[in-house]
Amino acid sequence: MNNLYKKNIVFLQLTTFLDLSFTFFGLGMLSIATLLKNNGFSVECLKTDQLASLDCDGLSQYFKKLDPEIIGLNINSDNIQNVVYLAGDLKKWLPNVIILVGGPLVSIMMESVLDEPVFDMAIVGEGEFSTLKLCNKIIRNKGCLEDIEGLIYRKDNKVVANPKGDLIQDLDLLPTPDYSLIRTPNSIFYSSGRGCPFNCSFCFQGVHGRGYRYFSSRRVVDDFICLSEKYNIKSIGILDDTFIANPTRTIEICEGLGEEKAKRDLDFAIMCEGRIDTLYRHPELWGVLKKAGLIKIQLGIENGNQEVLDAYNKKITLEQIEAVVAELPKYNICSVGNIMIGGAFETAETFEKSLNFAIKLLNLSKGLLDLNPTFLCPYPGTDIAKNPAKYGLSIIDRQWLTHLSTHLPSVITKSLGVTDLMELKHTFLDRVKLEAIKLLKKADFAIMNTHMSVFSRYSLPSGYYFHILALAPVIKKYFDLRNNVSRFRSDEISHEKLISSRPILLSTPSCSGTNYILDGFFDRIYIKKAKEQLLCDFSTGRLSIIEIAQLIKDKLELDVEVEIIIKTVMIPFYKRLEKSYHVIFQI
């Protein structure tokens, strides 16, 4: 009898169970799964969050229903222990299943990965065509294992490692990822290239090589348009570390996207990684990226000490970082920058320099730069992992058995231990948040609108939104209403339209003695004058400014023209409340 649920191969991206709100299915596995599906194999792709609600019996029944010949698992430093445990269970439930593993860690471990008896096979490097050959052999009995590039397997109780295949030079040979395999949300990630021409000492590029190979410009544009139309995508995050490394190609992609989006009336945002030195040398990229829909860019800042940047072989300067960050307000583009704590030669003094530099960058960005402190991780294969003493470091947990790779320190320095580094991270977070609040208090409307509209329009919260603005009910209410086309700021409409508009007070006043108090996130507004208190009472969206002025004139028996009340009392009052986002106007 046919099993309607049976799959030839199941791919599982197993992450830790510490945070199910963000479980990411690797684009490498998705590319492999798409190629297999296009070649007639039945494929299932699973993420941790899809299985987390099942107990052991539920998991057993689920995988027995799928009854795959092969289960493919991605392993990395954070998940390898969980993968080993699950693979052991899978072997109990499905004794004949082949457990296939891949990922960056496999390229480091090579044959030793099969020291884990629950792993049957592994593929080193890029896995698309090797996995296709393996499925043809295992499922269709075509070909032989000896001819599969990069395959590691057991033969006659010995581990055999086939020669690694060449890197795929023409990436256009690979299919457009089939996001329906992973229950596509409104936001997706996309890889437009592989590899990196740079050689930062903390970064692992053992899988994709030091060169940068990429899809053609036309292919990227066609993929984005196809994905937007097929899945109604709101945003696409480009994961390449070096998407802008080739400025000519970047401009071709951005101009093509701009043209196609306009022609087809599509609205989706893009996010990407950006190298400081490239943006510094090619400031023309900002305009074309913005026109293509760029709303967020990640910048590799890493440290506020030039000596440390040089030790990391970053090939950038502090002056270049400052110049690039200063461009953000010109284009209203949000950015995320990483600052590593506990890295090369870290001391209390180098940390203080990094913190002061971070505060300077926040101010240069005028409230558009998020800064994320992370602990330096000695990832396998990196120069720091191989030669920690060269960087003044000692590795205390090479296997991350006590935590995730970025959650707690895995290395210590000569003068700073684990608790020291954790305290420095908290100090960094506290100082940066205080500075961010100061910046938002004086940020102009365009910057505030960028943070709020990026979330409401594309479901992409910035750090400013997530950690600060979302906690301010009056601001959230303001921008929720502001997104309605019939509601305006006072400077967006003519004086004639303004005085005939209906003001809406967005916070209900409380009283303290004879004063009205409006609670905001940044400031408390005290309203003492009788005229202004009446304005609060009548600014409910029911009456126009002219009508409210007449009521004030009558109630207070003022011997003055309505126009004078509007000009001298109402407009200044509303302008003041607009600064704290307490009032909006409805036509």
Side-chain angles (χ1 to χ4, degrees):
M1 182 175 72
N2 290 330
N3 183 351
L4 296 176
Y5 299 101
K6 180 175 173 57
K7 301 293 181 181
N8 296 134
I9 182 167
V10 172
F11 290 100
L12 175 56
Q13 182 82 47
L14 188 66
T15 53
T16 70
F17 292 90
L18 299 183
D19 184 1
L20 298 181
S21 62
F22 180 76
T23 56
F24 173 65
F25 194 88
L27 293 179
M29 280 208 302
L30 181 59
S31 180
I32 296 169
T34 301
L35 184 66
L36 295 179
K37 180 182 176 183
N38 292 354
N39 279 271
F41 293 99
S42 56
V43 179
E44 184 83 359
C45 294
L46 301 170
K47 302 198 299 321
T48 305
D49 58 341
Q50 295 170 248
L51 304 176
S53 63
L54 299 176
D55 60 14
C56 190
D57 288 339
L59 284 171
S60 171
Q61 293 303 314
Y62 187 82
F63 280 101
K64 285 178 180 179
K65 182 174 69 173
L66 296 175
D67 191 26
E69 287 98 323
I70 302 172
I71 294 177
L73 293 154
N74 176 282
I75 59 173
N76 56 52
S77 300
D78 280 336
N79 77 352
I80 184 168
Q81 290 84 16
N82 282 338
V83 170
V84 170
Y85 291 140
L86 179 60
D89 288 334
L90 291 168
K91 280 290 192 180
K92 294 175 187 175
W93 304 331
L94 302 167
N96 297 320
V97 75
I98 291 174
I99 301 294
L100 172 70
V101 293
L105 202 57
V106 172
S107 294
I108 293 294
M109 298 177 70
M110 297 297 289
E111 292 94 329
S112 66
V113 73
L114 294 196
D115 289 348
E116 291 290 350
V118 291
F119 298 159
D120 298 303
M121 296 180 176
I123 289 180
V124 174
E126 293 176 308
E128 283 88 355
F129 296 114
S130 295
T131 308
L132 178 59
K133 289 180 181 179
L134 180 63
C135 286
N136 273 321
K137 169 59 182 171
I138 301 298
I139 296 166
R140 296 172 177 168
N141 198 26
K142 295 180 180 180
C144 56
L145 296 181
E146 291 80 4
D147 294 334
I148 301 175
E149 297 87 351
L151 180 67
I152 302 173
Y153 60 103
R154 295 186 185 90
K155 183 178 181 181
D156 299 328
N157 294 320
K158 293 183 179 180
V159 174
V160 177
N162 292 346
K164 187 178 177 181
D166 295 331
L167 295 171
I168 303 169
Q169 296 303 317
D170 184 4
L171 294 183
D172 283 0
L173 294 173
L174 298 175
T176 300
D178 185 347
Y179 289 88
S180 67
L181 288 169
I182 56 172
R183 297 172 173 84
T184 308
N186 289 328
S187 298
I188 63 168
F189 292 104
Y190 179 92
S191 178
S192 79
R194 294 177 177 179
C196 179
F198 305 101
N199 191 25
C200 299
S201 58
F202 53 79
C203 184
F204 174 66
Q205 287 293 339
V207 175
H208 296 319
R210 292 295 173 195
Y212 181 39
R213 298 162 291 125
Y214 40 75
F215 293 114
S216 64
S217 302
R218 189 68 248 171
R219 163 66 186 269
V220 175
V221 172
D222 289 344
D223 278 357
F224 281 22
I225 299 306
C226 171
L227 294 171
S228 175
E229 293 183 329
K230 185 174 183 179
Y231 302 114
N232 192 30
I233 295 299
K234 287 185 176 180
S235 65
I236 300 175
I238 305 170
L239 290 185
D240 316 9
D241 289 339
T242 45
F243 172 66
I244 68 168
N246 183 332
T248 301
R249 172 178 178 263
T250 304
I251 291 171
E252 289 175 354
I253 292 172
C254 290
E255 289 180 344
L257 277 177
E259 291 172 5
E260 291 294 333
K261 288 170 72 175
K263 184 192 306 180
R264 300 166 186 263
D265 193 26
L266 298 175
D267 179 28
F268 60 86
I270 63 172
M271 302 168 290
C272 75
E273 308 261 349
R275 272 192 64 90
I276 292 290
D277 52 348
T278 305
L279 288 165
Y280 179 78
R281 290 194 300 269
H282 298 276
E284 70 275 8
L285 288 174
W286 287 111
V288 293
L289 285 164
K290 179 71 173 181
K291 288 180 180 176
L294 181 72
I295 58 170
K296 184 183 292 187
I297 188 166
Q298 181 157 329
L299 302 172
I301 295 170
E302 319 305 356
N303 203 273
N305 296 266
Q306 188 62 54
E307 298 81 6
V308 176
L309 293 177
D310 293 342
Y312 289 153
N313 200 32
K314 282 291 294 183
K315 307 292 187 185
I316 61 175
T317 68
L318 298 179
E319 292 75 20
Q320 289 175 337
I321 296 172
E322 291 176 18
V324 168
V325 169
E327 293 293 303
L328 296 173
K330 298 178 185 178
Y331 298 94
N332 263 332
I333 292 174
C334 294
S335 179
V336 179
N338 293 323
I339 299 289
M340 285 192 287
I341 295 175
F345 314 112
E346 187 82 284
T347 64
E349 290 73 27
T350 62
F351 169 79
E352 192 65 25
K353 282 187 69 175
S354 277
L355 179 53
N356 290 335
F357 185 64
I359 299 301
K360 183 177 184 180
L361 294 180
L362 289 176
N363 282 275
L364 284 172
S365 79
K366 297 184 179 179
L368 286 168
L369 173 66
D370 290 329
L371 287 174
N372 291 331
T374 62
F375 293 114
L376 174 69
C377 297
Y379 288 119
T382 63
D383 191 54
I384 284 179
K386 295 175 183 176
N387 306 293
K390 174 181 168 184
Y391 300 90
L393 301 171
S394 298
I395 299 176
I396 58 173
D397 185 3
R398 284 186 177 273
Q399 297 177 297
W400 297 285
L401 295 176
T402 59
H403 55 85
L404 298 184
S405 57
T406 59
H407 281 207
L408 292 172
S410 300
V411 298
I412 57 175
T413 73
K414 291 181 179 180
S415 62
L416 298 171
V418 171
T419 54
D420 300 317
L421 294 171
M422 292 171 65
E423 287 179 6
L424 292 183
K425 183 177 179 180
H426 285 298
T427 297
F428 187 97
L429 287 168
D430 290 344
R431 285 276 302 277
V432 164
K433 185 170 184 178
L434 284 174
E435 194 67 26
I437 291 174
K438 290 179 186 176
L439 286 168
L440 290 182
K441 285 175 69 171
K442 61 184 180 182
D444 62 29
F445 174 77
I447 287 176
M448 293 286 283
N449 190 47
T450 295
H451 289 298
M452 302 303 292
S453 64
V454 162
F455 172 72
S456 62
R457 191 170 174 180
Y458 303 112
S459 300
L460 291 171
S462 66
Y464 283 91
Y465 176 87
F466 191 76
H467 296 295
I468 301 173
L469 297 175
L471 304 178
V474 69
I475 294 176
K476 187 176 187 308
K477 188 174 182 180
Y478 179 93
F479 282 95
D480 285 345
L481 290 173
R482 177 65 181 76
N483 288 331
N484 187 304
V485 294
S486 67
R487 297 187 177 100
F488 300 89
R489 293 173 57 80
S490 63
D491 57 6
E492 294 175 323
I493 51 180
S494 66
H495 179 74
E496 290 72 21
K497 285 188 176 180
L498 177 62
I499 63 176
S500 62
S501 69
R502 292 165 287 154
I504 305 173
L505 190 68
L506 302 182
S507 180
T508 302
S510 59
C511 292
S512 176
T514 59
N515 296 330
Y516 276 15
I517 301 174
L518 295 177
D519 285 322
F521 184 71
F522 302 132
D523 295 297
R524 256 188 164 186
I525 308 296
Y526 288 86
I527 301 169
K528 303 176 181 180
K529 297 178 181 179
K531 297 174 187 176
E532 293 181 344
Q533 291 179 357
L534 280 174
L535 286 179
C536 289
D537 294 338
F538 291 119
S539 296
T540 60
R542 297 181 176 89
L543 300 173
S544 70
I545 287 178
I546 294 175
E547 291 170 327
I548 295 172
Q550 186 62 55
L551 279 172
I552 290 176
K553 175 180 169 65
D554 296 341
K555 281 184 172 291
L556 298 180
E557 299 180 349
L558 299 177
D559 185 20
V560 64
E561 297 296 324
V562 165
E563 291 78 8
I564 300 299
I565 296 174
I566 292 174
K567 182 179 180 180
T568 62
V569 177
M570 300 180 70
I571 298 300
F573 176 73
Y574 288 136
K575 291 281 189 182
R576 178 157 59 100
L577 290 191
E578 272 192 310
K579 291 180 180 178
S580 56
Y581 300 92
H582 277 97
V583 70
I584 198 166
F585 302 93
Q586 180 167 304
I587 299 296

